[in-house]
Amino acid sequence: MNTLRPGDAILTDWREAATRFEREIAKAVVGQERAIRLVTIAIFARGHVMLEGDVGVGKTTLLRAVARALGGAYERVEGTVDMMPTDLIYHTYLGEDGRPRVEPGPVLRQAQDLSVFFFNEINRARPQVHALLLRIMAERSVAAFNREYHFPNLQVFADRNRVEREETFELPAAARDRFLMEIGMEAPRNAEARRALVFDPRFHDTDRLTEEVGAGVLDHDRIGAIASAIQHSVRAEPAIEAYVVGLWEALVRPAAAGIRLSGLDMERLIQGGASPRGVAFLVRAARVRAWLEGRDWLVPEDIRAVFPEVMAHRVFLEPVYEMRRAEIVPELIRAVFDTVPAP
Amino acid sequence: MRALLLVLLILVSSPALAQVRGVELRVPRAFGYFLGDLVQVQADIRVDPGFTVQRASLPKPGPVTYWLDLRTVSVEERREGDATLIRLRLTYQDFYAALDSRTLEVPGFPVTIESGGKGGLTTATAQIPAWKIGVSPLREVQPERRDDPAEYLLPDGRAPRLDPQPATVTALGLLALAALALVPLARDRAWGPFAPRRGRPFALGLKALRRVKRKAEGEARTREAFLVLHRALDATAGRRLLADDLALFLTAHPAFRGQAENLKTFFAASRRAFFGRETEAAARAFPVSDVEALLVRLAAAERSA
């Protein structure tokens, strides 16, 4: 039973489209198969994505390639310290006649058609901007020019680099919780990809590189409907439900689940987080992964494949451990998967 | 002469010092001090109740004269009848290199006593009088002539031979105790005989499977049997093993590589049983008897590994 039922021919077609989409992206971004797969999952789960990584590993290139392959209107802003929420919504300038003009800003310019909103260096923007973004992400709507704007197809991609801490603003927990995934990107490890990235002139011109990606591989207007069809068609058995709840419990209360990590006080490690919304997101992403793998039922591997990206940023550690988050959380997640039985 | 010698007793009764009732000095002996000896003195000052000594007025430890140092000063105060007794204990050290026996005077000093009443602070002075000690030389002034100057030195005193027996016994005893303490340590660290023996999860799984076969029926039986094998695999791997981890597991535990195909079939069947809502098909693809046969083979591989 490794194929979908014939009645789901549309889903099968779309799965092929998704594979094509991944192939197109891989033309521009080499050695990032996992990141590409996760972004694809996020697209079909209708979730917002945060990319995180060092400078120059290809975050922006990946997002530009995705935006191109996805089709639909695309807007991009760069986060800066002096950016204000109104800068996103309104564009103010002096017209040729010397009169001040107010026109729709980056968010509104493409009106309802906007499908990819790309926020570069999000942690450079101030909390006021994060708050606006929170609303756009959560409700896919914004109020401006005395009316409501709705963006039914909107997907927010953001990136931040984790090297600098000066003049940056940590995203509030509520905003981070709105992101479906936080994907960590690293430079590819395999030597061939590295050589190509450094020596092949093709990779030096990002503009030409992204143009190689086939435009509009996916019909962005219909992704919403397909996403919902995927969620309805992929089954979750009681065993998998118990597994997810077990993982959730072990993540929030690791001491009670019998998890011990060296040098950490497990009783006091976790402050909170792992919201029900987060776990719902987890299942949503896992369902998309099952569909991409050609199944219409969930298996534990689906959960495991998306767990770190979906859950890691939703776990809040005690302040003493927060600075060591990057090493503690992956270890905790690994221990959780080593502990919770499946089936 | 060990008895305390009363050196001096002064009773002053001038009106200004009415609060000081008497000063008494006691020394163990007044003579027979050699170079370097410590001289203990006890000064008892009787004062009216409510008076205490003013600490700042006490002499500071340090040189008193060129031949005398004050080493320590301590004070204790207690009630005695209707008076307060202030007892100073002074330790001097004599550095006088005497050539003959002679008497030297240790200078006295004043001590201020005070009483903080309602009307303000009342102070008075108690004079510790000067007193005398007799010092003696250590050696003769004109010793007998000797050819070898080294002979002027007297031989060292004879020290008694120490018996090493008790120390040896103690050392041996403590050594034995240390060796005994190794036992709990080894237990805590799982060293040597306390090292955990490698469990035999598959052998245990076989036993559990027999119980399952007795108790469960139908679909539950298949699921329970699968669970038994899953738990045995988890225990062997040391973590929860999912179907996708099979290749990694076989790399880490090459002993079970012979059963790779069977394990693959099992994982596929288990997936269908638990997550694919097809327990029946799974039971046909991998019946309980197959689970048992696989467990037997895995247990055999486990023993030989």
Side-chain angles (χ1 to χ4, degrees):
Chain A
M1 172 126 169
N2 265 347
T3 52
L4 293 162
R5 287 185 296 274
D8 295 332
I10 302 172
L11 283 183
T12 316
D13 289 349
W14 269 90
R15 195 170 66 241
E16 276 157 24
T19 319
R20 214 157 51 237
F21 172 78
E22 286 186 333
R23 265 206 309 276
E24 288 297 327
I25 307 283
K27 279 186 195 166
V29 188
V30 295
Q32 301 285 9
E33 288 74 18
R34 184 170 163 76
I36 295 174
R37 170 47 66 97
L38 288 166
V39 168
T40 313
I41 291 174
I43 288 171
F44 284 97
R46 307 300 299 139
H48 310 295
V49 174
M50 165 89 85
L51 284 180
E52 207 181 30
D54 279 349
V55 244
V57 291
K59 299 187 294 287
T60 312
T61 313
L62 173 66
L63 292 188
R64 285 178 66 183
V66 167
R68 187 172 160 86
L70 201 52
Y74 154 76
E75 278 296 339
R76 168 178 172 173
V77 294
E78 312 285 331
T80 52
V81 188
D82 59 347
M83 176 183 251
M84 279 294 156
T86 43
D87 295 336
L88 289 180
I89 298 175
Y90 303 111
H91 173 52
T92 49
Y93 64 103
L94 285 179
E96 278 177 19
D97 52 0
R99 289 186 171 186
R101 297 274 166 80
V102 180
E103 292 203 347
V107 174
L108 304 182
R109 201 171 292 142
Q110 314 274 359
Q112 327 275 357
D113 207 26
L114 188 62
S115 74
V116 172
F117 186 71
F118 175 12
F119 206 125
N120 228 345
E121 303 256 16
I122 190 168
N123 55 344
R124 293 208 169 278
R126 293 169 160 277
Q128 296 95 310
V129 178
H130 295 161
L132 173 78
L133 205 66
L134 182 70
R135 162 128 198 236
I136 296 179
M137 288 199 296
E139 294 170 22
R140 293 196 158 93
S141 72
V142 67
F145 295 112
N146 298 324
R147 72 182 190 88
E148 287 273 306
Y149 283 80
H150 289 275
F151 313 96
N153 301 320
L154 177 68
Q155 216 168 351
V156 175
F157 289 89
D159 78 358
R160 72 171 168 194
N161 80 56
R162 55 179 170 221
V163 180
E164 289 148 312
R165 290 197 182 274
E166 296 87 27
E167 292 207 332
T168 62
F169 300 87
E170 193 48 59
L171 258 73
R176 290 183 81 174
D177 204 44
R178 252 59 183 218
F179 281 102
L180 170 69
M181 291 185 188
E182 274 196 25
I183 303 174
M185 273 182 85
E186 277 179 28
R189 287 284 170 86
N190 98 47
E192 200 160 318
R194 285 186 165 214
R195 260 207 303 272
L197 280 176
V198 177
F199 286 99
D200 192 340
R202 200 167 75 88
F203 294 110
H204 296 176
D205 186 346
T206 327
D207 293 330
R208 295 237 324 260
L209 188 63
T210 31
E211 271 166 33
E212 285 178 31
V213 175
V217 182
L218 299 177
D219 182 357
H220 73 276
D221 273 344
R222 290 179 56 210
I223 290 181
I226 293 302
S228 138
I230 293 169
Q231 294 304 318
H232 285 102
S233 74
V234 177
R235 278 198 330 263
E237 288 297 298
I240 206 88
E241 287 171 5
Y243 183 57
V244 171
V245 173
L247 291 175
W248 188 11
E249 187 62 29
L251 187 66
V252 180
R253 274 173 279 280
I259 294 173
R260 298 274 175 279
L261 298 179
S262 67
L264 301 179
D265 180 357
M266 300 310 287
E267 293 284 353
R268 294 208 225 142
L269 176 62
I270 304 288
Q271 193 179 47
S275 58
R277 174 173 45 214
V279 183
F281 272 158
L282 171 72
V283 173
R284 207 155 93 183
R287 280 197 160 116
V288 175
R289 199 252 182 191
W291 166 74
L292 283 173
E293 300 272 316
R295 263 181 281 107
D296 67 349
W297 37 288
L298 275 175
V299 296
E301 283 87 339
D302 295 328
I303 307 286
R304 192 170 63 177
V306 295
F307 197 90
E309 280 73 14
V310 178
M311 295 308 287
H313 64 280
R314 298 176 204 276
V315 177
F316 301 109
L317 306 180
E318 283 294 333
V320 228
Y321 298 117
E322 195 57 45
M323 287 305 280
R324 285 167 59 207
R325 167 177 211 98
E327 58 179 296
I328 291 177
V329 172
E331 209 172 309
L332 175 67
I333 289 178
R334 192 188 47 71
V336 165
F337 275 96
D338 284 356
T339 310
V340 179
Chain B
M1 194 192 227
R2 297 197 56 110
L4 289 179
L5 185 74
L6 184 66
V7 170
L8 202 62
L9 178 68
I10 301 177
L11 277 167
V12 193
S13 53
S14 75
L17 297 174
Q19 296 90 348
V20 180
R21 297 186 182 178
V23 177
E24 204 175 287
L25 269 186
R26 284 162 190 272
V27 291
R29 61 175 199 272
F31 49 83
Y33 290 100
F34 295 107
L35 176 66
D37 276 1
L38 295 179
V39 185
Q40 313 280 356
V41 190
Q42 182 182 313
D44 287 353
I45 308 167
R46 282 197 177 70
V47 294
D48 286 353
F51 278 90
T52 56
V53 66
Q54 199 177 56
R55 301 272 159 169
S57 71
L58 293 173
K60 306 274 169 309
V64 179
T65 62
Y66 74 97
W67 59 274
L68 189 70
D69 274 14
L70 180 60
R71 296 276 296 264
T72 59
V73 181
S74 71
V75 187
E76 59 186 71
E77 287 173 37
R78 68 161 188 263
R79 277 200 71 87
E80 205 182 69
D82 64 339
T84 299
L85 176 69
I86 299 169
R87 178 165 286 174
L88 307 180
R89 290 178 199 279
L90 304 147
T91 308
Y92 290 94
Q93 189 167 19
D94 162 35
F95 288 112
Y96 191 80
L99 291 178
D100 53 0
S101 297
R102 65 173 63 189
T103 303
L104 296 168
E105 190 178 78
V106 177
F109 54 88
V111 173
T112 309
I113 54 167
E114 59 181 22
S115 165
K118 258 180 269 170
L121 195 72
T122 317
T123 59
T125 308
Q127 181 66 37
I128 308 291
W131 50 287
K132 291 186 171 151
I133 55 170
V135 295
S136 304
L138 271 173
R139 58 177 180 87
E140 31 196 342
V141 178
Q142 197 115 53
E144 204 180 317
R145 243 193 112 69
R146 313 217 181 198
D147 296 335
D148 184 1
E151 284 178 21
Y152 285 115
L153 294 175
L154 292 174
D156 286 340
R158 283 177 70 92
R161 272 188 95 80
L162 291 177
D163 182 9
Q165 180 84 18
T168 317
V169 170
T170 315
L172 284 176
L174 289 175
L175 201 67
L177 274 180
L180 270 178
L182 269 179
V183 175
L185 180 68
R187 192 174 168 280
D188 182 58
R189 295 293 156 104
W191 287 338
F194 297 102
R197 260 183 293 169
R198 217 177 41 197
R200 297 213 166 142
F202 291 119
L204 288 176
L206 260 179
K207 277 186 202 158
L209 183 65
R210 294 206 180 106
R211 275 198 300 279
V212 166
K213 274 167 71 182
R214 269 202 309 278
K215 280 186 192 156
E217 282 302 323
E219 288 199 351
R221 187 169 170 171
T222 311
R223 281 166 170 257
E224 298 266 315
F226 282 2
L227 277 183
V228 165
L229 184 46
H230 271 302
R231 291 297 88 84
L233 283 165
D234 289 351
T236 309
R239 61 193 195 91
R240 303 297 173 180
L241 208 62
L242 302 187
D244 287 2
D245 306 332
L246 184 57
L248 275 178
F249 171 73
L250 291 175
T251 321
H253 303 269
F256 307 115
R257 229 174 252 170
Q259 304 305 319
E261 276 309 306
N262 284 327
L263 282 171
K264 219 167 163 181
T265 325
F266 160 70
F267 271 112
S270 157
R271 243 190 194 187
R272 290 167 71 176
F274 287 104
F275 308 116
R277 214 183 280 171
E278 291 180 15
T279 314
E280 250 176 67
R284 274 199 303 281
F286 207 79
V288 176
S289 58
D290 280 15
V291 175
E292 190 167 8
L294 180 56
L295 264 175
V296 168
R297 283 195 290 274
L298 287 171
E302 175 180 68
R303 266 196 304 281
S304 60

